[in-house]
Amino acid sequence: MSYSTADSLPTVTLDDVRGAQKMLSGVARMTAMEGSRYLSGLVGAPVHLKCENLQRTGSFKLRGAYVRIAGLLPEERAAGVVAASAGNHAQGVAHASSLLGVRSTVFMPVGAPLPKVAATRDYGAEVRLHGQVVDETLAAAQEYARETGAVFIHPFDHPDIIAGQGTVGLEILEQCPEVRTIVVGIGGGGLAAGVAVAVKAVRPDVKVIGVQAAGAAAYPPSLEAGRPVSIPYPATMADGIRVGRPGDVPFQLVEELVDEVRTVSEDELSSALLLCLERAKLVVEPAGASPVAALLSDPHSFEGPVVALLSGGNVDPLLMQRILRHGMAAAGRYLSLRLRLTDRPGALATLLGVLSVVDANVLDVSHVRTDPRLGLTEAEVELHLETKGPVHCAEVGAALRDAGYLVID
C-alpha cells in the first residue's frame, strides 16, 4: 500500500490488488459471469451478471476479510480478531479466521436475522448480540478490541479490505474483456473503491458506476462536499449498503476513480430482486440487486457491454417473502385494496364475481361487519389479489368502480 500526500491516508494500488489475488488463490472462488437476455434487451447492449452471491459465505466480503486477517503479524493473530456486522461481513470474518486459525469474535445486532447469526457461528466465530442498530454494535466491538487487544476488522475502511474486494474487478476484466461499464452497489465504499482501482489501472476507458439506496445515500452529499459526511438515520431494505457515512480510505478512491454514483428507490430494489429470481434464477439480497435496479431505472443510459455486480445473496427468508410481495406490487402483479359494500346475503359472492370477470386471482379476503366506522348496513372487505401488471390493476379498479363499489385504497 502507499500513502496519499494530500491527507496522509493510506491508499490502494493495482499491485496491492494483484497481491491480494495471489493470496486468495484457492480461498475465494472465481464466481460465474452470466448473461442476461432480458436486461440486454432493455439496455440495448449485452448485460452480464457477476455472481458474487455465489461466493463462499454468500458474498464478496470473504475476499477483503481474508486479505486483512492474513496480513496480521503473528502477535496480532494470537490476540484474535473482532468485527461488527449484521450479516455478510460477519460471515466473511468468521470463515476467513477459521481458515487462518485465528480466534474471532463477532458482534451482531440483537435483531439480526437468525440464519445469519447461525451461519456466523457455524463458520467458527463467537457471536455476541449487542445493540439494536449496527452503530451500537460497532461501538461494542471497538470497546471489546480496546479491552482485549483483539484486532478490529473494519468492514470497508482499510486498504487491505479494499485490495481484497478489488480482486472482483480483475476477474470481471478477465471474464468480460469487452466490458465498457461496470455497475456496483455502494455502502461504505470498499467494494466500489477496490473494483475501481483494479479496473481503471488496466482499462481507464471502462466506466465504473456506483449505486446507493436513496434512503441511505451518503455518497452524493459527501462527493458534493469533497469529504465524507454523515446522513442521519439511513433507512433501506438493503442492509448490505445501509451505511450512514463513507469510509475515509474508500472515499478518496471513489471520488477519484468512480465515474458516477446513482440512487435507486425501494420499489426499484424490490423489482430488481424479483427479476433476478425469476429471470436469472439467482437468489440475490437487496444490496446485491442494486446494480440491476439501476439498470431497470434508466436502461438506455448505460454504455454496453455492461457488467452488473451482484455482491451478495444472504437474505433472510422472511425478509425475502416481504420483499417479493413488495416487488410484485411494484410490478403491478400484486394488488391490495379495501372497499365498502352493502352487508346483505350474497354481497361477497357478487364482488368475487366481478373480480372473476376481469381475471383477478383472489389470494386473501378479510371481511369486517362490525366496526364503528361502518354504517348499519355496510361491510368492509380487504382484498389481496394477484394481477398481471399495471394495466390489469387499472382494469380491476375500473371494474369495481363501474359495479358501484367504493374503493377506499
Side-chain angles (χ1 to χ4, degrees), residues 98-120:
S98 294
L99 292 173
L100 292 163
V102 177
R103 184 178 71 258
S104 63
T105 303
V106 176
F107 284 76
M108 303 182 75
V110 172
L114 292 179
K116 293 186 177 182
V117 174
T120 303

Side-chain angles (χ1 to χ4, degrees), residues 19 31 69 71-72 76 115 133 157 169 172 271 281 285 397:
T31 50
I69 297 169
L72 296 178
E76 291 176 317
V133 295
D157 203 9
I172 289 173
S271 297
K281 315 307 178 190
E285 62 189 275

Side-chain angles (χ1 to χ4, degrees), residues 1 5 40 48 106 170 184 195 234 260-261 286 299 333 369 377:
M1 93 185 58
T5 56
S40 297
H48 305 278
V106 176
L170 294 180
V184 55
V195 168
E260 183 184 353
V261 175
R333 295 172 52 194
R369 288 190 175 90
T377 61

Side-chain angles (χ1 to χ4, degrees), residues 1 11-26 28 30 63 66-67 159-174 193-204:
M1 93 185 58
T11 188
V12 182
T13 67
L14 177 61
D15 286 341
D16 296 324
V17 179
R18 285 179 169 157
Q21 188 175 46
K22 291 179 182 178
M23 191 178 295
L24 288 167
S25 177
M30 177 182 279
R63 297 173 183 263
Y66 187 91
V67 172
D160 289 347
I161 295 286
I162 295 169
Q165 322 304 27
T167 60
V168 182
L170 294 180
E171 290 182 13
I172 289 173
L173 294 180
E174 180 179 345
V195 168
V197 166
V199 170
K200 291 292 188 177
V202 180
R203 287 277 308 281

